[in-house]
Amino acid sequence: MPIIDASRVRARRAADPDRTVICDVRSTMGGADPAGEYASGHLPGAVLVVLDDALATAPTAVGGRHPLPTPTAFASALSELGVGDDDTVIAYDGRGGAVAARLVWMLRIIGRPAYLLDGGLAGWDGEIETGHGDRRPSVERTVINWPTDAIAEADDVADHLRAGGVVIDSREAARYAGAVEPIDAIAGHVPGAINLPFADNLDVDGRFRRPGELAGRFAPAATDADAIVYCGSGVTACHNALAMEHAGLARPRIYVGSWSGWSADPDRPVAVGSEP
């Protein structure tokens, strides 16, 4: 199960403190100040991981706003943060896992142990540290290629839909429908994709719904072991991917370019409205 609660985090740290790394994941999206937010409050000993620096590379047109870094760049970033090959990573953020899910998904697809803290920073019921903290010493880390069966490109999305496969749009309903588009130049969704907003994985307390509830939510993908999930730029789609795994379903592929990549290609069709 990729989701872990606060009590299990404490137990894991107590059992193996040297190989349990807590990662506070932040992003500059929306003009945020990752270092300042981290300094204002984080889990004790947590390492700051900035999405834009460690979990993505420079945006491209069809590659989207948050392309995956090269395997070498990812290994180097984690090495500098002191996250070793054998370390278990527990990641969180202040957005219900919307950003931290990206790190957890990246590690899990390359076979490394990683978990998302249920409830995020608000779900932590223990001590909170402030300030910038001490850096972990850098470590050696093995470079592992991204598995091709975990990632989809735009052509894969189109082919999968033509074959009757399931493609899930993880954005809020208004963006899916094309009623609003605060980031990308074109509004709408990939024709044929269904809308299952990632935020609905959480209950009113900001914690993940029970696996059975999540299984029901993602029932359209239950018989599709090659389902594809996308969002705006391949970040919150990871939240849906982890929710599906938590529900006992096959881990879907992520279309990393997502809507930012699809909509940048003038040859790709666009749908609007609340229906696929």
Side-chain angles (χ1 to χ4, degrees), residues 175-208:
R175 288 186 70 189
Y176 172 85
V180 298
E181 182 45 66
I183 305 173
D184 296 307
I186 297 175
H189 61 268
V190 175
I194 63 174
N195 185 215
L196 294 173
F198 82 92
D200 292 343
N201 294 326
L202 308 178
D203 62 20
V204 293
D205 295 321
R207 299 179 187 275
F208 274 80

mmCIF file of all heavy atoms in Angstrom, residues 175-208:
data_model
loop_
_atom_site.group_PDB
_atom_site.id
_atom_site.type_symbol
_atom_site.label_atom_id
_atom_site.label_comp_id
_atom_site.label_asym_id
_atom_site.label_seq_id
_atom_site.Cartn_x
_atom_site.Cartn_y
_atom_site.Cartn_z
ATOM 1 N N ARG A 175 -12.115 22.462 -15.269
ATOM 2 C CA ARG A 175 -11.024 22.459 -16.257
ATOM 3 C C ARG A 175 -11.250 21.364 -17.290
ATOM 4 O O ARG A 175 -11.004 21.573 -18.481
ATOM 5 C CB ARG A 175 -9.673 22.269 -15.558
ATOM 6 C CG ARG A 175 -9.211 23.482 -14.775
ATOM 7 C CD ARG A 175 -7.806 23.283 -14.232
ATOM 8 N NE ARG A 175 -6.804 23.292 -15.278
ATOM 9 C CZ ARG A 175 -5.526 22.965 -15.093
ATOM 10 N NH1 ARG A 175 -5.111 22.584 -13.876
ATOM 11 N NH2 ARG A 175 -4.656 23.002 -16.092
ATOM 12 N N TYR A 176 -11.687 20.208 -16.845
ATOM 13 C CA TYR A 176 -11.994 19.123 -17.772
ATOM 14 C C TYR A 176 -13.031 19.573 -18.801
ATOM 15 O O TYR A 176 -12.892 19.312 -20.008
ATOM 16 C CB TYR A 176 -12.503 17.918 -16.987
ATOM 17 C CG TYR A 176 -13.052 16.780 -17.819
ATOM 18 C CD1 TYR A 176 -12.211 15.800 -18.340
ATOM 19 C CD2 TYR A 176 -14.429 16.669 -18.056
ATOM 20 C CE1 TYR A 176 -12.717 14.744 -19.091
ATOM 21 C CE2 TYR A 176 -14.945 15.615 -18.798
ATOM 22 C CZ TYR A 176 -14.082 14.656 -19.316
ATOM 23 O OH TYR A 176 -14.591 13.621 -20.059
ATOM 24 N N ALA A 177 -14.068 20.253 -18.331
ATOM 25 C CA ALA A 177 -15.144 20.689 -19.211
ATOM 26 C C ALA A 177 -14.744 21.835 -20.121
ATOM 27 O O ALA A 177 -15.438 22.139 -21.091
ATOM 28 C CB ALA A 177 -16.361 21.085 -18.383
ATOM 29 N N GLY A 178 -13.626 22.486 -19.797
ATOM 30 C CA GLY A 178 -13.203 23.626 -20.582
ATOM 31 C C GLY A 178 -13.867 24.917 -20.168
ATOM 32 O O GLY A 178 -13.779 25.933 -20.866
ATOM 33 N N ALA A 179 -14.542 24.905 -19.007
ATOM 34 C CA ALA A 179 -15.204 26.121 -18.525
ATOM 35 C C ALA A 179 -14.191 27.145 -18.038
ATOM 36 O O ALA A 179 -14.429 28.367 -18.132
ATOM 37 C CB ALA A 179 -16.182 25.772 -17.399
ATOM 38 N N VAL A 180 -13.081 26.667 -17.516
ATOM 39 C CA VAL A 180 -11.993 27.535 -17.069
ATOM 40 C C VAL A 180 -10.671 26.866 -17.436
ATOM 41 O O VAL A 180 -10.604 25.641 -17.551
ATOM 42 C CB VAL A 180 -12.033 27.799 -15.543
ATOM 43 C CG1 VAL A 180 -13.303 28.507 -15.132
ATOM 44 C CG2 VAL A 180 -11.870 26.501 -14.763
ATOM 45 N N GLU A 181 -9.652 27.659 -17.629
ATOM 46 C CA GLU A 181 -8.306 27.124 -17.821
ATOM 47 C C GLU A 181 -7.313 28.171 -17.340
ATOM 48 O O GLU A 181 -6.945 29.087 -18.069
ATOM 49 C CB GLU A 181 -8.038 26.761 -19.276
ATOM 50 C CG GLU A 181 -6.651 26.161 -19.507
ATOM 51 C CD GLU A 181 -6.290 25.109 -18.462
ATOM 52 O OE1 GLU A 181 -6.935 24.045 -18.422
ATOM 53 O OE2 GLU A 181 -5.376 25.385 -17.646
ATOM 54 N N PRO A 182 -6.890 28.053 -16.063
ATOM 55 C CA PRO A 182 -6.030 29.076 -15.471
ATOM 56 C C PRO A 182 -4.565 29.012 -15.869
ATOM 57 O O PRO A 182 -3.814 29.937 -15.564
ATOM 58 C CB PRO A 182 -6.192 28.807 -13.973
ATOM 59 C CG PRO A 182 -6.450 27.330 -13.893
ATOM 60 C CD PRO A 182 -7.271 27.007 -15.104
ATOM 61 N N ILE A 183 -4.152 27.947 -16.546
ATOM 62 C CA ILE A 183 -2.721 27.752 -16.793
ATOM 63 C C ILE A 183 -2.405 27.591 -18.277
ATOM 64 O O ILE A 183 -1.573 28.307 -18.820
ATOM 65 C CB ILE A 183 -2.183 26.537 -16.005
ATOM 66 C CG1 ILE A 183 -2.488 26.687 -14.518
ATOM 67 C CG2 ILE A 183 -0.674 26.385 -16.226
ATOM 68 C CD1 ILE A 183 -2.141 25.471 -13.688
ATOM 69 N N ASP A 184 -3.033 26.648 -18.916
ATOM 70 C CA ASP A 184 -2.703 26.336 -20.304
ATOM 71 C C ASP A 184 -3.487 27.199 -21.289
ATOM 72 O O ASP A 184 -4.547 27.739 -20.958
ATOM 73 C CB ASP A 184 -2.932 24.844 -20.569
ATOM 74 C CG ASP A 184 -2.011 23.976 -19.741
ATOM 75 O OD1 ASP A 184 -0.783 24.203 -19.791
ATOM 76 O OD2 ASP A 184 -2.506 23.088 -19.009
ATOM 77 N N ALA A 185 -2.975 27.303 -22.504
ATOM 78 C CA ALA A 185 -3.547 28.227 -23.493
ATOM 79 C C ALA A 185 -4.898 27.770 -24.014
ATOM 80 O O ALA A 185 -5.722 28.591 -24.417
ATOM 81 C CB ALA A 185 -2.572 28.402 -24.654
ATOM 82 N N ILE A 186 -5.134 26.466 -24.033
ATOM 83 C CA ILE A 186 -6.366 25.917 -24.571
ATOM 84 C C ILE A 186 -7.093 25.155 -23.466
ATOM 85 O O ILE A 186 -6.489 24.411 -22.700
ATOM 86 C CB ILE A 186 -6.071 24.977 -25.762
ATOM 87 C CG1 ILE A 186 -5.414 25.774 -26.889
ATOM 88 C CG2 ILE A 186 -7.348 24.300 -26.252
ATOM 89 C CD1 ILE A 186 -4.972 24.913 -28.054
ATOM 90 N N ALA A 187 -8.406 25.332 -23.389
ATOM 91 C CA ALA A 187 -9.221 24.657 -22.380
ATOM 92 C C ALA A 187 -9.872 23.418 -22.972
ATOM 93 O O ALA A 187 -10.106 23.327 -24.177
ATOM 94 C CB ALA A 187 -10.295 25.604 -21.856
ATOM 95 N N GLY A 188 -10.181 22.460 -22.111
ATOM 96 C CA GLY A 188 -10.864 21.252 -22.543
ATOM 97 C C GLY A 188 -10.160 20.002 -22.058
ATOM 98 O O GLY A 188 -9.396 20.037 -21.096
ATOM 99 N N HIS A 189 -10.424 18.882 -22.747
ATOM 100 C CA HIS A 189 -9.822 17.610 -22.345
ATOM 101 C C HIS A 189 -9.572 16.735 -23.561
ATOM 102 O O HIS A 189 -10.019 17.041 -24.674
ATOM 103 C CB HIS A 189 -10.706 16.883 -21.336
ATOM 104 C CG HIS A 189 -12.079 16.520 -21.846
ATOM 105 N ND1 HIS A 189 -13.165 17.349 -21.693
ATOM 106 C CD2 HIS A 189 -12.540 15.418 -22.513
ATOM 107 C CE1 HIS A 189 -14.239 16.783 -22.216
ATOM 108 N NE2 HIS A 189 -13.881 15.605 -22.737
ATOM 109 N N VAL A 190 -8.849 15.645 -23.335
ATOM 110 C CA VAL A 190 -8.586 14.680 -24.393
ATOM 111 C C VAL A 190 -9.901 13.972 -24.724
ATOM 112 O O VAL A 190 -10.536 13.404 -23.823
ATOM 113 C CB VAL A 190 -7.527 13.649 -23.955
ATOM 114 C CG1 VAL A 190 -7.347 12.581 -25.026
ATOM 115 C CG2 VAL A 190 -6.207 14.326 -23.644
ATOM 116 N N PRO A 191 -10.340 14.001 -25.971
ATOM 117 C CA PRO A 191 -11.604 13.337 -26.317
ATOM 118 C C PRO A 191 -11.579 11.856 -25.952
ATOM 119 O O PRO A 191 -10.650 11.130 -26.294
ATOM 120 C CB PRO A 191 -11.681 13.524 -27.844
ATOM 121 C CG PRO A 191 -10.855 14.740 -28.123
ATOM 122 C CD PRO A 191 -9.730 14.688 -27.132
ATOM 123 N N GLY A 192 -12.601 11.438 -25.213
ATOM 124 C CA GLY A 192 -12.698 10.046 -24.796
ATOM 125 C C GLY A 192 -12.228 9.801 -23.378
ATOM 126 O O GLY A 192 -12.511 8.747 -22.799
ATOM 127 N N ALA A 193 -11.498 10.759 -22.789
ATOM 128 C CA ALA A 193 -11.033 10.602 -21.405
ATOM 129 C C ALA A 193 -12.175 10.848 -20.429
ATOM 130 O O ALA A 193 -13.021 11.728 -20.657
ATOM 131 C CB ALA A 193 -9.892 11.575 -21.126
ATOM 132 N N ILE A 194 -12.214 10.082 -19.355
ATOM 133 C CA ILE A 194 -13.203 10.309 -18.314
ATOM 134 C C ILE A 194 -12.588 11.184 -17.223
ATOM 135 O O ILE A 194 -11.373 11.257 -17.091
ATOM 136 C CB ILE A 194 -13.729 8.991 -17.714
ATOM 137 C CG1 ILE A 194 -12.593 8.199 -17.025
ATOM 138 C CG2 ILE A 194 -14.394 8.139 -18.793
ATOM 139 C CD1 ILE A 194 -13.082 6.961 -16.276
ATOM 140 N N ASN A 195 -13.427 11.847 -16.454
ATOM 141 C CA ASN A 195 -12.951 12.793 -15.443
ATOM 142 C C ASN A 195 -13.123 12.226 -14.038
ATOM 143 O O ASN A 195 -14.245 11.986 -13.582
ATOM 144 C CB ASN A 195 -13.714 14.107 -15.580
ATOM 145 C CG ASN A 195 -13.212 15.206 -14.656
ATOM 146 O OD1 ASN A 195 -13.969 16.017 -14.164
ATOM 147 N ND2 ASN A 195 -11.912 15.249 -14.434
ATOM 148 N N LEU A 196 -12.004 11.997 -13.353
ATOM 149 C CA LEU A 196 -12.006 11.582 -11.951
ATOM 150 C C LEU A 196 -11.016 12.478 -11.214
ATOM 151 O O LEU A 196 -9.834 12.152 -11.091
ATOM 152 C CB LEU A 196 -11.619 10.104 -11.811
ATOM 153 C CG LEU A 196 -12.590 9.081 -12.411
ATOM 154 C CD1 LEU A 196 -12.002 7.674 -12.347
ATOM 155 C CD2 LEU A 196 -13.929 9.129 -11.683
ATOM 156 N N PRO A 197 -11.476 13.643 -10.730
ATOM 157 C CA PRO A 197 -10.571 14.606 -10.104
ATOM 158 C C PRO A 197 -9.813 14.001 -8.921
ATOM 159 O O PRO A 197 -10.401 13.328 -8.066
ATOM 160 C CB PRO A 197 -11.509 15.728 -9.649
ATOM 161 C CG PRO A 197 -12.684 15.628 -10.567
ATOM 162 C CD PRO A 197 -12.851 14.156 -10.804
ATOM 163 N N PHE A 198 -8.521 14.274 -8.869
ATOM 164 C CA PHE A 198 -7.688 13.674 -7.823
ATOM 165 C C PHE A 198 -8.153 14.082 -6.437
ATOM 166 O O PHE A 198 -8.026 13.309 -5.481
ATOM 167 C CB PHE A 198 -6.219 14.064 -8.031
ATOM 168 C CG PHE A 198 -5.849 15.415 -7.495
ATOM 169 C CD1 PHE A 198 -5.354 15.567 -6.212
ATOM 170 C CD2 PHE A 198 -6.028 16.562 -8.267
ATOM 171 C CE1 PHE A 198 -5.033 16.817 -5.698
ATOM 172 C CE2 PHE A 198 -5.706 17.811 -7.772
ATOM 173 C CZ PHE A 198 -5.208 17.949 -6.493
ATOM 174 N N ALA A 199 -8.680 15.288 -6.289
ATOM 175 C CA ALA A 199 -9.071 15.774 -4.960
ATOM 176 C C ALA A 199 -10.168 14.922 -4.339
ATOM 177 O O ALA A 199 -10.301 14.868 -3.101
ATOM 178 C CB ALA A 199 -9.525 17.225 -5.049
ATOM 179 N N ASP A 200 -10.932 14.221 -5.168
ATOM 180 C CA ASP A 200 -12.006 13.389 -4.644
ATOM 181 C C ASP A 200 -11.500 12.066 -4.081
ATOM 182 O O ASP A 200 -12.292 11.255 -3.592
ATOM 183 C CB ASP A 200 -13.052 13.128 -5.730
ATOM 184 C CG ASP A 200 -13.822 14.386 -6.107
ATOM 185 O OD1 ASP A 200 -13.782 15.362 -5.323
ATOM 186 O OD2 ASP A 200 -14.447 14.406 -7.183
ATOM 187 N N ASN A 201 -10.198 11.841 -4.133
ATOM 188 C CA ASN A 201 -9.627 10.682 -3.437
ATOM 189 C C ASN A 201 -9.655 10.875 -1.930
ATOM 190 O O ASN A 201 -9.474 9.917 -1.177
ATOM 191 C CB ASN A 201 -8.179 10.456 -3.863
ATOM 192 C CG ASN A 201 -8.042 10.055 -5.314
ATOM 193 O OD1 ASN A 201 -8.893 9.361 -5.849
ATOM 194 N ND2 ASN A 201 -6.960 10.498 -5.955
ATOM 195 N N LEU A 202 -9.838 12.128 -1.497
ATOM 196 C CA LEU A 202 -9.760 12.467 -0.078
ATOM 197 C C LEU A 202 -11.142 12.689 0.514
ATOM 198 O O LEU A 202 -12.062 13.142 -0.178
ATOM 199 C CB LEU A 202 -8.914 13.735 0.104
ATOM 200 C CG LEU A 202 -7.527 13.724 -0.561
ATOM 201 C CD1 LEU A 202 -6.828 15.061 -0.348
ATOM 202 C CD2 LEU A 202 -6.676 12.576 -0.033
ATOM 203 N N ASP A 203 -11.260 12.411 1.809
ATOM 204 C CA ASP A 203 -12.524 12.670 2.502
ATOM 205 C C ASP A 203 -12.537 14.098 3.031
ATOM 206 O O ASP A 203 -11.637 14.898 2.742
ATOM 207 C CB ASP A 203 -12.755 11.643 3.615
ATOM 208 C CG ASP A 203 -11.687 11.674 4.711
ATOM 209 O OD1 ASP A 203 -10.981 12.705 4.848
ATOM 210 O OD2 ASP A 203 -11.551 10.668 5.435
ATOM 211 N N VAL A 204 -13.543 14.430 3.806
ATOM 212 C CA VAL A 204 -13.688 15.807 4.281
ATOM 213 C C VAL A 204 -12.566 16.207 5.226
ATOM 214 O O VAL A 204 -12.315 17.403 5.435
ATOM 215 C CB VAL A 204 -15.059 16.018 4.968
ATOM 216 C CG1 VAL A 204 -16.176 15.888 3.960
ATOM 217 C CG2 VAL A 204 -15.239 15.038 6.134
ATOM 218 N N ASP A 205 -11.872 15.235 5.790
ATOM 219 C CA ASP A 205 -10.756 15.511 6.692
ATOM 220 C C ASP A 205 -9.415 15.572 5.965
ATOM 221 O O ASP A 205 -8.364 15.727 6.592
ATOM 222 C CB ASP A 205 -10.683 14.446 7.791
ATOM 223 C CG ASP A 205 -11.901 14.477 8.709
ATOM 224 O OD1 ASP A 205 -12.377 15.586 9.019
ATOM 225 O OD2 ASP A 205 -12.380 13.386 9.086
ATOM 226 N N GLY A 206 -9.466 15.442 4.644
ATOM 227 C CA GLY A 206 -8.238 15.517 3.866
ATOM 228 C C GLY A 206 -7.418 14.241 3.869
ATOM 229 O O GLY A 206 -6.251 14.255 3.491
ATOM 230 N N ARG A 207 -8.033 13.141 4.250
ATOM 231 C CA ARG A 207 -7.342 11.852 4.252
ATOM 232 C C ARG A 207 -7.900 10.961 3.142
ATOM 233 O O ARG A 207 -9.036 11.142 2.701
ATOM 234 C CB ARG A 207 -7.486 11.158 5.608
ATOM 235 C CG ARG A 207 -6.877 11.970 6.751
ATOM 236 C CD ARG A 207 -7.063 11.266 8.083
ATOM 237 N NE ARG A 207 -6.628 12.112 9.189
ATOM 238 C CZ ARG A 207 -5.375 12.202 9.612
ATOM 239 N NH1 ARG A 207 -4.432 11.471 9.029
ATOM 240 N NH2 ARG A 207 -5.058 12.990 10.618
ATOM 241 N N PHE A 208 -7.086 10.003 2.719
ATOM 242 C CA PHE A 208 -7.515 9.131 1.639
ATOM 243 C C PHE A 208 -8.733 8.308 2.055
ATOM 244 O O PHE A 208 -8.832 7.839 3.193
ATOM 245 C CB PHE A 208 -6.385 8.186 1.221
ATOM 246 C CG PHE A 208 -5.460 8.782 0.208
ATOM 247 C CD1 PHE A 208 -4.454 9.662 0.606
ATOM 248 C CD2 PHE A 208 -5.607 8.502 -1.143
ATOM 249 C CE1 PHE A 208 -3.604 10.236 -0.329
ATOM 250 C CE2 PHE A 208 -4.768 9.066 -2.091
ATOM 251 C CZ PHE A 208 -3.765 9.938 -1.685
#
